[in-house]
Amino acid sequence: MEVYLIRHGIAAERGTYTNDDERPLIEKGRIKTKQVAEKLRAINLKFDLILTSPLIRAHQTAEIFQKVGLTNQIEIFESLAPDSDINKWLEWYSQFSEPNSNCKLALVGHQPDLGNWTEMLVWGTVKEQIVVKKAGIVGLNVPKIENPLGKSELFLLTSPKWLI
Amino acid sequence: MEVYLIRHGIAAERGTYTNDDERPLIEKGRIKTKQVAEKLRAINLKFDLILTSPLIRAHQTAEIFQKVGLTNQIEIFESLAPDSDINKWLEWYSQFSEPNSNCKLALVGHQPDLGNWTEMLVWGTVKEQIVVKKAGIVGLNVPKIENPLGKSELFLLTSPKWLI
């Protein structure tokens, strides 16, 4: 199954909100995220489901994707919050029934987790050597097997700069 | 230093030429490669040097990049031919004097070698799990140290579909 890992757009600076979870996207972040979403829609990408980190900046990113028609369904997934555990998602994935044979999933979250999940899925180990910029995207072919760690293919890694 | 690995564009089918090295780009391949090159130029990318595999389809790809102004200099590098040995390139790289502090290199070659070189540079091992499509691009930050294997960062992997 194609699984896309999407980093939230540019948000208010760290430290500007008492609760870091509440930092929202700033205008530049909303604009760039919308441009990324529109480009993906223009090449006919559509997600059956977007799972998002519960943090505001991630949820807002997912909502922008929904507004341009990239998905009909967003669900909050607690284990996409920072320092997230890929095993929680793998457990969810093993039980996820694909709604169609061409099913595509998107996960909206944070760095360095998304880069680390990518490395875990493709190589089975983490070296923190994947750069995922804000509103950047990773594309993976994740096989529907009990343990896809080290068994997935990487076909896309891009920042807004190259996409829009 | 930023190092870009570029796969040649769509070429004549395997078996249509007695000598496989002579298969040229077909029209669709030339058009897509030019679109990719123009997009890269539009975002102000410029290579100080393109090293290309000696095979016709790779050399033609490099020439299209040169024609749109992505570089002033192309050199044939024998060890970018299929089944190429990354150590030959590493030897060259260790002796390469950067013409400027923001120097960017491009290497035009073949699959699965380019994907394998990427894995060697970033993770130090090869699992053949990186998909590089024709006229697709890999972007790496390769440190200028004696042995950058397992020490480089991956910041871009894209096929023409996402770029143009």
Side-chain angles (χ1 to χ4, degrees):
Chain A
M1 194 185 310
E2 286 184 8
V3 178
Y4 294 82
L5 310 185
I6 298 160
R7 188 177 175 196
H8 64 80
I10 304 167
E13 294 275 342
R14 190 175 295 274
T16 51
Y17 281 69
T18 317
N19 182 351
D20 187 73
D21 298 4
E22 291 175 3
R23 285 194 286 130
L25 298 187
I26 59 172
E27 191 184 359
K28 189 177 168 192
R30 284 198 302 273
I31 291 169
K32 270 205 183 179
T33 302
K34 185 157 179 268
Q35 287 174 318
V36 165
E38 283 168 346
K39 172 66 183 276
L40 297 180
R41 194 69 200 104
I43 51 182
N44 283 321
L45 192 63
K46 181 129 192 185
F47 304 119
D48 294 84
L49 173 62
I50 294 182
L51 297 179
T52 178
S53 148
L55 274 60
I56 301 291
R57 55 192 183 275
H59 201 218
Q60 287 179 333
T61 300
E63 282 175 338
I64 291 169
F65 274 60
Q66 183 174 35
K67 270 186 197 144
V68 306
L70 277 167
T71 191
N72 296 323
Q73 203 181 350
I74 296 177
E75 282 178 21
I76 287 178
F77 193 79
E78 297 294 336
S79 296
L80 277 165
D83 301 320
S84 49
D85 180 359
I86 194 170
N87 289 303
K88 294 276 174 56
W89 179 74
L90 288 175
E91 209 174 288
W92 176 91
Y93 186 63
S94 70
Q95 287 161 23
F96 175 65
S97 305
E98 305 178 41
N100 62 68
S101 59
N102 191 28
C103 178
K104 292 179 175 66
L105 275 177
L107 316 184
V108 181
H110 307 266
Q111 269 296 71
D113 304 306
L114 298 181
N116 294 349
W117 285 29
T118 301
E119 293 184 317
M120 290 289 287
L121 285 163
V122 181
W123 291 278
T125 56
V126 170
K127 295 196 82 175
E128 297 222 352
Q129 285 173 191
I130 293 206
V131 181
V132 188
K133 298 273 191 184
K134 284 163 187 154
I137 301 181
V138 174
L140 298 161
N141 290 318
V142 182
K144 203 76 168 62
I145 54 178
E146 196 178 347
N147 182 3
L149 295 181
K151 301 278 196 311
S152 305
E153 277 183 343
L154 179 65
F155 65 84
L156 178 68
L157 167 65
T158 186
S159 64
K161 172 183 169 182
W162 306 96
L163 198 65
I164 61 182
Chain B
M1 193 184 312
E2 287 184 7
V3 178
Y4 294 81
L5 310 184
I6 299 159
R7 187 177 175 197
H8 65 79
I10 304 167
E13 294 275 339
R14 190 175 294 276
T16 51
Y17 281 70
T18 317
N19 182 350
D20 187 74
D21 297 4
E22 291 175 3
R23 283 194 288 128
L25 297 187
I26 59 172
E27 191 184 359
K28 190 178 167 192
R30 283 196 304 272
I31 292 169
K32 273 205 179 178
T33 302
K34 186 157 178 270
Q35 287 173 320
V36 165
E38 283 168 346
K39 172 66 183 276
L40 297 180
R41 194 69 200 101
I43 50 183
N44 283 322
L45 192 63
K46 181 128 189 185
F47 304 118
D48 294 84
L49 173 62
I50 294 182
L51 297 179
T52 177
S53 147
L55 274 60
I56 300 291
R57 57 193 183 274
H59 199 220
Q60 287 179 332
T61 300
E63 282 175 338
I64 291 169
F65 274 58
Q66 183 174 34
K67 270 185 198 146
V68 306
L70 277 166
T71 191
N72 296 323
Q73 204 182 350
I74 295 177
E75 283 179 22
I76 288 178
F77 193 79
E78 296 294 336
S79 297
L80 278 166
D83 300 321
S84 49
D85 179 359
I86 193 170
N87 289 303
K88 294 277 175 57
W89 179 74
L90 289 174
E91 209 173 289
W92 176 91
Y93 186 64
S94 70
Q95 289 162 20
F96 174 65
S97 305
E98 304 179 43
N100 62 69
S101 60
N102 191 28
C103 178
K104 293 179 175 65
L105 275 177
L107 317 183
V108 181
H110 307 266
Q111 268 297 71
D113 303 306
L114 297 180
N116 294 350
W117 286 29
T118 301
E119 293 183 316
M120 289 290 286
L121 284 162
V122 181
W123 291 278
T125 55
V126 170
K127 296 196 81 174
E128 297 221 351
Q129 283 172 197
I130 295 208
V131 181
V132 188
K133 298 274 191 182
K134 284 164 186 154
I137 301 182
V138 174
L140 298 162
N141 291 318
V142 182
K144 203 77 167 64
I145 54 177
E146 197 179 348
N147 182 2
L149 296 182
K151 301 277 196 308
S152 306
E153 277 184 342
L154 180 65
F155 66 84
L156 177 67
L157 168 64
T158 185
S159 63
K161 172 183 169 181
W162 307 95
L163 197 65
I164 61 182

